[in-house]
Amino acid sequence: MAQDKAVFAKQKAQMQTGGGFIAALDQSGGSTPKALLQYGVEESEYSGEAEMYGEIHKMRTRIITAPDFTNAKVLGAILFERTMRAEIEGMPSAQYLWEKRGVVPFLKIDKGLAEKANGVQLMKPMPGLEELLTEAAQEFGIFGTKERSVIFEADAVGIKAVVEQQLEVGKMVVAAGMVPILEPEVDINAPAKAEAEEILKAELLAALDTLPEGDDVMIKLTIPNVPGLYDALADHPRCVRVVALSGGYTTDDACARLFKQPKMIASFSRALAEGLSKKQSDEDFNALLGSNIDKIYQASL
């Protein structure tokens, strides 16, 4: 499903003004066994990478095809590259999301984190990124991307490097015809979290100011300590939306914190799947997922 200009415009409008949140279904590599364990799948139940990814695709399919997983409350979904290449009910995953659920498809593009330096972890190199971006937009109809780095300390040099790298990758995504979600996560256990967030806000505002009209981005951030801290980012003409990651908070805690941020919507991963189990009946699974979706939706309004 190649990208269509009218569809892209409709998707962008949904992301800018829609009520709801973005589901993060992009666990990869090292985080997959943890996500499966949370879902009640022991490591002894699969052998090797192919079977592991097969199990996680079954989990994601069950979530995406659940009755409450529609654009009534879920605006978008971030996919892992393998999920983009896989099918749901005989359709490419991104096409199924948009055509059957009305949910805007995003793709996680980072390859994980580099070693810690200056209080941050930058993204690892991404060989073949241009080719992947072209394929995502032109062959799979992906609307946007997501790329994550992590900030552990209020180190101005490190935070500046994080934002510069995020922007550099984001410009490549824009050039490929998509909207990037820049994700400079501040670790929730950072000792100077509030100070790091102030530095990050200033760097992000300066970065947004350099973007020409039409080069629009989204930003995914840890829920800040100060209510409304990132409102200026949300109001910036180059920012489509500011979204929040749950960052290890429980669903209830993350939602309570998000209530205090009127211009952020959720983009939760672990909090969305909290309590879900492979062993649940479809009725129980759908009821619990529906409850999680509603909690996160209410916190995002």
Side-chain angles (χ1 to χ4, degrees):
M1 185 186 80
Q3 215 178 44
D4 175 279
K5 283 184 180 177
V7 168
F8 183 84
K10 189 175 179 184
Q11 291 174 337
K12 190 172 183 181
Q14 179 163 309
M15 294 319 307
Q16 278 177 314
T17 60
F21 67 95
I22 299 173
L25 302 172
D26 58 328
Q27 302 93 344
S28 60
S31 61
T32 303
K34 194 175 171 184
L36 282 172
L37 201 57
Q38 183 189 333
Y39 184 53
V41 180
E42 303 286 338
E43 288 195 44
S44 59
E45 292 181 55
Y46 53 86
S47 175
E49 204 175 67
E51 284 187 19
M52 177 182 78
Y53 286 123
E55 286 293 339
I56 201 86
H57 188 64
K58 286 179 199 169
M59 182 189 92
R60 289 169 178 150
T61 297
R62 198 177 185 195
I63 290 170
I64 289 167
T65 57
D68 288 325
F69 197 92
T70 73
N71 67 352
K73 293 177 182 174
V74 184
L75 299 176
I78 304 167
L79 306 177
F80 177 45
E81 191 179 329
R82 280 177 180 259
T83 312
M84 177 184 78
R85 299 183 190 285
E87 293 188 344
I88 296 172
E89 296 185 353
M91 292 175 75
S93 299
Q95 185 179 353
Y96 182 90
L97 274 170
W98 179 245
E99 293 183 6
K100 299 293 186 184
R101 309 268 93 180
V103 173
V104 177
F106 291 82
L107 176 69
K108 168 192 155 72
I109 58 170
D110 67 81
K111 303 295 183 189
L113 300 167
E115 291 298 314
K116 192 171 171 181
N118 295 319
V120 304
Q121 280 183 287
L122 295 172
M123 296 179 283
K124 285 180 179 174
M126 298 175 229
L129 179 58
E130 284 188 29
E131 293 83 354
L132 175 63
L133 294 176
T134 301
E135 182 187 17
Q138 301 307 324
E139 291 184 34
F140 291 101
I142 295 287
F143 169 81
T145 63
K146 190 211 77 164
E147 47 271 8
R148 172 178 173 260
S149 6
V150 183
I151 296 163
F152 298 95
E153 296 168 28
D155 184 308
V157 172
I159 293 171
K160 186 178 182 66
V162 160
V163 173
E164 284 177 351
Q165 187 192 40
Q166 286 281 344
L167 195 66
E168 182 186 351
V169 174
K171 286 176 178 177
M172 291 176 68
V173 175
V174 170
M178 293 179 287
V179 174
I181 300 178
L182 316 180
E183 185 183 6
E185 174 181 348
V186 176
D187 187 85
I188 62 168
N189 299 310
K193 180 174 179 281
E195 190 185 340
E197 287 166 346
E198 288 286 356
I199 298 168
L200 178 60
K201 180 181 97 166
E203 288 291 347
L204 285 169
L205 282 170
L208 289 175
D209 285 343
T210 69
L211 294 173
E213 189 174 346
D215 285 11
D216 297 338
V217 304
M218 295 173 64
I219 307 175
K220 180 169 175 172
L221 299 162
T222 309
I223 304 166
N225 288 17
V226 176
L229 180 71
Y230 295 132
D231 286 2
L233 293 172
D235 292 337
H236 197 286
R238 297 284 66 77
C239 186
V240 175
R241 206 80 183 251
V242 176
V243 303
L245 56 100
S246 49
Y249 294 128
T250 64
T251 306
D252 288 344
D253 193 7
C255 288
R257 290 168 183 270
L258 187 58
F259 268 117
K260 298 172 186 172
Q261 307 294 338
K263 295 191 177 182
M264 294 179 87
I265 64 169
S267 176
F268 293 171
S269 169
R270 197 192 52 73
L272 174 68
E274 192 171 274
L276 301 180
S277 170
K278 180 183 180 179
K279 296 161 182 69
Q280 285 165 336
S281 67
D282 285 346
E283 186 180 359
D284 288 347
F285 178 93
N286 291 339
L288 183 55
L289 177 63
S291 171
N292 286 354
I293 285 173
D294 192 59
K295 271 186 206 169
I296 299 167
Y297 169 75
Q298 294 297 338
S300 295
L301 293 180

